Amino acid sequence: MLNAVIFDVDDTLYDQQLPFRNAVTTIIPEVATTDLHPLYIRFRVHSDDHFGKVISKEWTLEEFRTFRLCQSLIDLGYSPLSNDASRLFQATYETELDNIQLHPAVEETLNTLVSLPIKLGIITNGPTDHQQKKIDQLELTRWIHPEYMLISQATGYQKPDIELFQLAEERFDLDPSRTLYVGDNFDNDVFGCKQAGWQALWLNHRRRQAPEIKNCHPDCTLTAFEELTEGILSFTDAVV
């Protein structure tokens, strides 16, 4: 029986590639003439792999942001940007994030779930102020109470750390076996929640290849935002 659904934010509740694409088009137009999906994927990989260095205070936030963009460009054979250009990209990217909107199918899902006797929450990786700004822009408190939201930097952990999911269990009063986590990133979201004993819905709308992690499989895989409501409701036949 399911009594809680907890969501990732980036590229799960909104299309994160759109503000990224707009920022690249503005600051690095010579790159924007090609397919930006590979660059976006590298950007996400370096974001996920290296944000822990910010939490541990090994890197500053600016060093992290400069690295993830420049290394993503290098990975694909482009020249890295100067520090000034990297800062300008970040400023432009943040401006684009001021305009993000929930995917319409996600809004439909939240409207459906909020009418059911289940708890809704958020666990998201990233800088506290940056992620809070996204939460505010998406108006997530229309469906989710602020006390059921965790931002990684504020906790000292980051997905897939089991401690972050265990902290959510304590703060949100969750039963792991009756909690579903919904996210787009296999390593952070599926592996993270499964090691904590949660159920996992992988929203694989980027159609990525699942890594081979022994004894780690999502309970449900979807490939489109439009499948989200039905996919989650398939877990709620015995809602309490």
Side-chain angles (χ1 to χ4, degrees):
M1 295 190 297
L2 189 70
N3 63 7
V5 180
I6 313 300
F7 292 91
D8 173 44
V9 172
D10 292 320
D11 226 25
T12 296
L13 300 184
Y14 73 98
D15 182 355
Q16 191 182 29
Q17 189 164 304
L18 181 58
F20 177 80
R21 182 188 305 117
N22 291 343
V24 171
T25 300
T26 301
I27 304 303
I28 328 173
E30 65 275 17
V31 175
T33 59
T34 64
D35 178 8
L36 289 183
H37 184 68
L39 181 62
Y40 168 77
I41 293 298
R42 296 310 303 162
F43 187 79
R44 286 292 305 274
V45 166
H46 290 304
S47 293
D48 294 335
D49 288 352
H50 296 285
F51 185 69
K53 295 177 181 178
V54 178
I55 291 180
S56 66
K57 302 187 185 306
E58 181 180 347
W59 285 0
T60 66
L61 187 55
E62 183 175 333
E63 287 172 331
F64 159 74
R65 286 169 167 166
T66 298
F67 173 86
R68 69 175 177 178
L69 175 61
C70 290
Q71 190 59 51
S72 298
L73 290 167
I74 291 170
D75 290 347
L76 297 177
Y78 298 106
S79 299
L81 298 183
S82 67
N83 288 343
D84 286 344
S86 294
R87 283 191 288 269
L88 183 58
F89 172 86
Q90 182 62 35
T92 305
Y93 183 44
E94 291 187 24
T95 298
E96 291 294 333
L97 288 171
D98 287 341
N99 300 313
I100 59 173
Q101 296 181 342
L102 283 176
H103 191 286
V106 172
E107 185 165 359
E108 172 194 310
T109 299
L110 292 173
N111 284 334
T112 299
L113 294 179
V114 78
S115 67
L116 300 177
I118 57 178
K119 191 173 295 182
L120 301 180
I122 292 290
I123 301 176
T124 179
N125 276 359
T128 304
D129 291 347
H130 190 60
Q131 295 306 102
Q132 186 61 54
K133 184 177 179 181
K134 296 175 187 175
I135 288 170
D136 293 343
Q137 173 64 24
L138 295 172
E139 299 182 322
L140 292 178
T141 55
R142 291 169 56 192
W143 302 275
I144 303 171
H145 195 281
E147 69 182 19
Y148 298 137
M149 299 180 180
L150 282 183
I151 300 174
S152 66
Q153 187 180 39
T155 70
Y157 305 111
Q158 68 166 347
K159 296 181 296 182
D161 294 344
I162 191 172
E163 292 88 351
L164 183 56
F165 293 91
Q166 292 171 336
L167 180 63
E169 292 168 16
E170 177 184 341
R171 291 193 182 177
F172 303 172
D173 189 24
L174 302 177
D175 177 345
S177 66
R178 299 164 71 184
T179 299
L180 175 68
Y181 191 75
V182 179
D184 72 296
N185 185 293
F186 192 100
D187 292 329
N188 286 344
D189 301 327
V190 176
F191 176 70
C193 80
K194 292 300 287 185
Q195 67 174 342
W198 297 20
Q199 298 179 67
L201 189 158
W202 186 24
L203 182 56
N204 187 23
H205 61 97
R206 302 292 178 198
R207 299 178 184 267
R208 298 171 181 151
Q209 182 69 37
E212 294 185 9
I213 301 177
K214 187 177 181 180
N215 298 325
C216 181
H217 305 283
D219 297 280
C220 176
T221 299
L222 306 178
T223 57
F225 286 101
E226 290 75 14
E227 300 171 343
L228 195 55
T229 300
E230 184 177 352
I232 293 176
L233 290 179
S234 71
F235 288 84
T236 61
D237 292 337
V239 172
V240 297

